[in-house]
Amino acid sequence: IEELFGTCYLNELTDEQINKVFTDFIKVNIFDKLDKHIKNTEKHLLKIVKEEKKKDVRKWKRSFLLRGGYKTFDIQQILDIIKSESPKNYNRDIKKLQSDIEEFDGLHDNLLKLTEIKNKLSI
C-alpha cells in the first residue's frame, strides 16, 4: 500500500489516489498489452495478405479473410487491409464476402468498444 499510495495508513487515502492507482493499473496491465497485441496482429495480417496474394491473385481476399479472421482483434482490421490493397472494388468485394464476414460474429466493433472504454476511463 505504501509503495502504491505513498502511505501505509488507510485513513489517509483519497478517492483521487485510489482512482489514479486503479487507472494506472488498468492501463499497464490491460490497455498497453491490448495495444501491443493489436499492432502485432496488424503486422501479421500484412504478412498473411502478401502470402495470399502470391498464392492466388484473383481469390486472395476470401482466403485472407478466412485465414486472418481467426488471428485478428477486430474484423475491421482485415477490411481496412482489403480496402488499402484493392480500393477500386472494395464495395463489391465486401458484398461478396458478407456471409464470411458474418461468421466472425464476436469480432465486430471491438476497436470502437476499446476506444470507448479508454475514453470513459480517461486513458
Side-chain angles (χ1 to χ4, degrees):
I1 292 174
E2 188 171 5
E3 184 179 317
L4 291 173
F5 297 103
T7 182
C8 62
Y9 300 107
L10 294 177
N11 63 343
E12 293 179 5
L13 297 181
T14 64
D15 287 343
E16 189 176 290
Q17 287 174 315
I18 293 170
N19 286 336
K20 183 175 177 0
V21 168
F22 173 76
T23 303
D24 291 346
F25 179 84
I26 295 295
K27 182 183 180 307
V28 169
N29 291 298
I30 295 176
F31 294 126
D32 288 350
K33 291 180 181 181
L34 270 174
D35 290 339
K36 183 178 177 183
H37 171 71
I38 291 167
K39 283 183 182 181
N40 288 337
T41 299
E42 288 175 359
K43 289 177 187 176
H44 190 69
L45 289 173
L46 291 172
K47 183 178 173 184
I48 291 173
V49 80
K50 287 179 185 177
E51 292 171 2
E52 293 302 327
K53 283 178 90 171
K54 215 181 258 188
K55 284 182 190 176
D56 190 346
V57 177
R58 299 185 70 173
K59 298 179 183 178
W60 67 268
K61 294 166 191 148
R62 183 169 191 270
S63 57
F64 168 61
L65 173 68
L66 295 175
R67 188 172 161 204
Y70 295 104
K71 299 179 188 295
T72 188
F73 182 73
D74 190 335
I75 199 73
Q76 191 60 47
Q77 293 173 287
I78 290 177
L79 299 178
D80 290 343
I81 291 172
I82 290 174
K83 187 173 188 174
S84 69
E85 295 290 322
S86 179
K88 288 182 182 179
N89 302 320
Y90 178 72
N91 290 329
R92 182 194 67 194
D93 295 336
I94 296 306
K95 285 180 185 176
K96 285 183 178 180
L97 296 171
Q98 194 60 41
S99 63
D100 293 321
I101 291 169
E102 290 171 4
E103 286 182 26
F104 298 103
D105 190 35
L107 295 178
H108 294 278
D109 298 328
N110 287 341
L111 291 171
L112 291 173
K113 292 172 189 172
L114 178 64
T115 302
E116 180 183 351
I117 292 169
K118 283 181 176 181
N119 288 337
K120 286 182 178 180
L121 292 174
S122 299
I123 294 178

